[in-house]
């Protein structure tokens, strides 16, 4: 279970998150929607532990563990995964080496045995097949020269291999055509099980047709303004933020 | 006593010399070393040898160490005799000193069209007590027309010393030498190496130099592309920390038409380390269609680390393509965070990014075993951090 209570955070003294309260019970998938600039990526970075954000109040617990006290890598080995809105290019780092190093670091931290190159390759090839990705993806440098869609799929591949217990997907659907979107959604759905939870950040109802959320939250101005069932996403799609009486909250999604 | 006096008088190059502006040898002068004594029983040094199979010529304190060596094929003459020719190196004080003191060295001659495989050349220097010592070796490597050789050179030691080798390389038409150099001297030592490489038509010299050790190191290469279509690649990397000073200096002279030269040097500097890169490409009037490229990149891992870069082009031909550049940067926090967010601990993430930074310079090293040796030397660098 992820519990966020009264979370406030600033960037260079400018408040961005203004008191977030959000609970994602184990086994559930929640969606966050909200206008550009409302603080969605900031929330995901603060949860993952990126530098440059000052947490000024509140707490975050994952299954009781105080996430904010941990280094980013410790959060990852505690089971947190962030699919980046803008995946980072790593020239000179091969994707296979990257994935294996990440997997083995995570396994080591969890007290599991490391995989050798052969075991890893078997696992990675299976994951690639599930995501309809070509094997040569492993030979390329991480995200270097990848198209937007390939980068997003590479995020989902990492998630499939690392098998987190809590995943945050930050606009993983943006810029994907419908086929790629289905593949991404299948990747998430394949992980769905009673001990897996996720926070799916999206602009579009479209993704939520394939990853049906248990709850939908509307984030605006660094606060959760409204929460509801999947029908809330559809209402947003039809009438926009203005239609929900949220017109004062920055630019709209359209 | 006589040797020590000679050392003091000979005058190490001072910073007044343009090519020594960034590297100050006064700490070496203050060392006042004596000629390294012969080590009677070298077998204890076997543990210092690089993990490479095949023929190996080992020198300990400037002398051949047959007990540690593995004879190369008899076609390759590996004898010790050479005639020093100080006149050629008059402008280079360290080579002059070498000529004055060197008594031994390897002479490797590969006959025409012979593929000599891989040969390892090891220099070990050992100061047995607290008295600093020096060794000057002079090697000569000559490849006949169309001959090939992969030469792995490795330098290490114990204690405080100065190692000042000179290597003369001549490549006949169509010869190809792959030269992998690992400098892993002790952190208290001084290492100054001077290489002369002469290439005739269509010859290829492909070097990768890794500098990890020494309190002060300089690797100076003078390559002369003297025949049409010759190619020289002088890649390298230095990984320095603490108060280490590392200097990579090169002069590539294009004297014949249609030659290519490539140089990619990567500097990784931690602590208060100081790196120097001086690269000069000279294109003679006759060297039309020259294609020269040179790049120095520095990754500063600490705010106190420093790099001085001096790239120079001197072009007398009109139809040439020459470019050079230099970059200085730090590790990218975005990249570091991305790796850490995937569960990779910070130290390992940094090591991965540094290794990635070196990739472009290392990828040209074709010999698998030599490459593995490089990887393990680079991997080991982090253990001293
Ligand atoms: N590095 C930064 N420096 C300054 N302001 C930032 C930075 N990153 C984000 N912001 C600001 O924080 C607010 C929230 O941004 P973000 O979390 O990226 O929103 P979203 O993901 O919902 O579009 C915006 O006003 C944005 O301009
Ligand atoms: Mg965003």
């Amino acid at each position: 279970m992820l519990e966020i209570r009264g979370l406030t955070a600033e960037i260079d003294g400018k408040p961005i998150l203004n008191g977030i309260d959000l609970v994602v019970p184990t086994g559930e998938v929640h969606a966050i929607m909200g206008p550009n600039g409302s603080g969605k990526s900031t929330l995901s970075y603060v949860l993952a532990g990126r530098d440059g954000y000052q947490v000024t109040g509140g707490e975050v617990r994952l299954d009781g563990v105080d996430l904010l006290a941990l280094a980013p890598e410790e959060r990852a080995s505690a089971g947190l995964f962030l699919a980046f809105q803008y995946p980072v290019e790593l020239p000179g780092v091969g994707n296979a080496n990257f994935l294996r190093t990440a997997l083995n670091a995570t396994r080591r931290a969890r007290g599991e045995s490391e995989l050798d190159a052969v075991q890893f390759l078997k696992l990675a090839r299976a994951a690639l097949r599930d995501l309809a990705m070509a094997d040569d993806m492993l030979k390329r440098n991480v995200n270097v020269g990848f198209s937007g869609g390939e980068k997003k799929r590479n995020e989902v591949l990492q998630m499939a291999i690392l098998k987190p217990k809590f995943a945050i997907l930050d606009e993983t659907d943006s810029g994907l055509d419908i086929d790629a979107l289905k593949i991404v959604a299948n990747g998430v759905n394949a992980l769905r099980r009673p001990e897996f939870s996720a926070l799916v950040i999206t602009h579009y109802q479209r993704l939520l047709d394939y990853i049906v959320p248990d709850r939908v939250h509307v984030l605006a101005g660094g606060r959760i303004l409204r929460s509801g069932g999947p029908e809330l996403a559809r209402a947003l799609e039809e009438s926009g933020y203005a239609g929900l009486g949220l017109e004062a909250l920055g630019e709209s999604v359209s | 006593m006589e040797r020590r006096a000679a050392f003091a008088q000979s005058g190490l190059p001072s910073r007044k010399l343009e090519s020594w502006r960034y590297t100050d040898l006064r700490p070496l002068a203050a060392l006042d070393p004596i000629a390294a004594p012969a080590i009677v029983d070298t077998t204890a040094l076997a543990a210092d040898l690089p993990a490479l199979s095949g023929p190996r010529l080992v020198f300990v304190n400037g002398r051949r160490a047959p007990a540690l060596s593995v004879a190369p094929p008899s076609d390759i003459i590996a004898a010790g005799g050479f005639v020093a020719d100080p006149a050629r190196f008059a402008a280079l004080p360290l080579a002059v000193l070498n000529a004055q003191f060197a008594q031994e060295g390897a002479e490797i001659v590969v006959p025409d069209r012979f593929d000599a495989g891989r040969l390892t050349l090891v220099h070990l220097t050992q100061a047995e007590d607290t008295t600093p010592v020096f060794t000057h070796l002079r090697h000569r490597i000559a490849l006949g027309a169309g001959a090939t050789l992969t030469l792995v050179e490795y330098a290490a030691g114990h204690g405080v010393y100065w190692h000042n080798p000179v290597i003369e390389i001549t490549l006949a038409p169509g010869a190809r030498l792959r030269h992998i150099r690992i400098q892993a001297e002790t952190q208290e030592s001084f290492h100054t190496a001077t290489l002369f490489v002469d290439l005739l038509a269509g010859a290829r010299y492909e070097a990768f130099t890794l500098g990890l050790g020494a309190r002060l190191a300089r690797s100076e290469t003078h390559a002369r592309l003297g025949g049409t279509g010759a190619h020289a690649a002088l890649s390298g990397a230095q990984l320095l920390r603490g108060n280490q000073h590392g200097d990579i200096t090169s002069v590539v002279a294009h004297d014949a038409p249609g030659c290519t030269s490539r140089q990619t040097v990567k500097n990784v500097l931690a602590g208060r380390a100081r790196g120097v890169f001086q690269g000069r490409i000279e294109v003679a009037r006759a060297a039309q269609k020259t294609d020269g490229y040179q790049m120095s990149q520095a990754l500063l891992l600490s705010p106190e680390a420093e790099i001085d870069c001096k790239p120079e082009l001197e072009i007398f031909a009109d139809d040439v393509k020459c470019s050079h550049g230099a970059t200085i940067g730090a590790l990218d926090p975005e990249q570091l965070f991305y790796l850490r967010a995937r569960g990779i601990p910070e130290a390992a993430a940094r090591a991965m990014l540094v290794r990635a930074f070196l990739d472009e310079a290392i990828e040209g090293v074709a010999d698998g075993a030599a490459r593995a040796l490089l990887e393990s030397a680079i991997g080991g660098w982090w253990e001293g951090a």
Side-chain angles (χ1 to χ4, degrees), chain A residues 11-12 14 16 35-43 53 85 171:
Chain A
I11 302 174
D12 299 330
K14 175 180 156 206
I16 309 287
N36 273 329
S38 59
K40 303 181 299 294
S41 291
T42 302
L43 174 63
Y53 302 88
Q85 182 175 1
E171 295 201 30

Side-chain angles (χ1 to χ4, degrees), chain A residues 25-128:
Chain A
T26 306
E28 293 194 2
V29 171
H30 288 200
I32 292 189
M33 303 184 80
N36 273 329
S38 59
K40 303 181 299 294
S41 291
T42 302
L43 174 63
S44 47
Y45 283 140
V46 166
L47 295 179
R50 189 189 192 210
D51 275 345
Y53 302 88
Q54 299 83 44
V55 174
T56 48
E59 61 167 9
V60 179
R61 290 185 181 274
L62 180 61
D63 294 338
V65 175
D66 177 6
L67 273 191
L68 299 180
L70 302 180
E73 58 270 31
E74 295 169 327
R75 299 181 197 203
S77 36
L80 184 75
F81 181 91
L82 167 63
F84 284 55
Q85 182 175 1
Y86 303 108
V88 179
E89 297 185 8
L90 303 175
V93 179
N95 216 14
N97 177 33
F98 166 64
L99 287 164
R100 185 153 86 96
T101 307
L103 178 61
N104 280 337
T106 308
R107 290 178 65 94
R108 216 168 29 243
R110 292 175 187 165
E112 297 164 6
S113 68
E114 295 186 26
L115 298 189
D116 64 28
V118 177
Q119 293 168 313
F120 168 76
L121 217 58
K122 215 174 137 205
L123 182 143
R125 291 228 171 95
L128 281 163

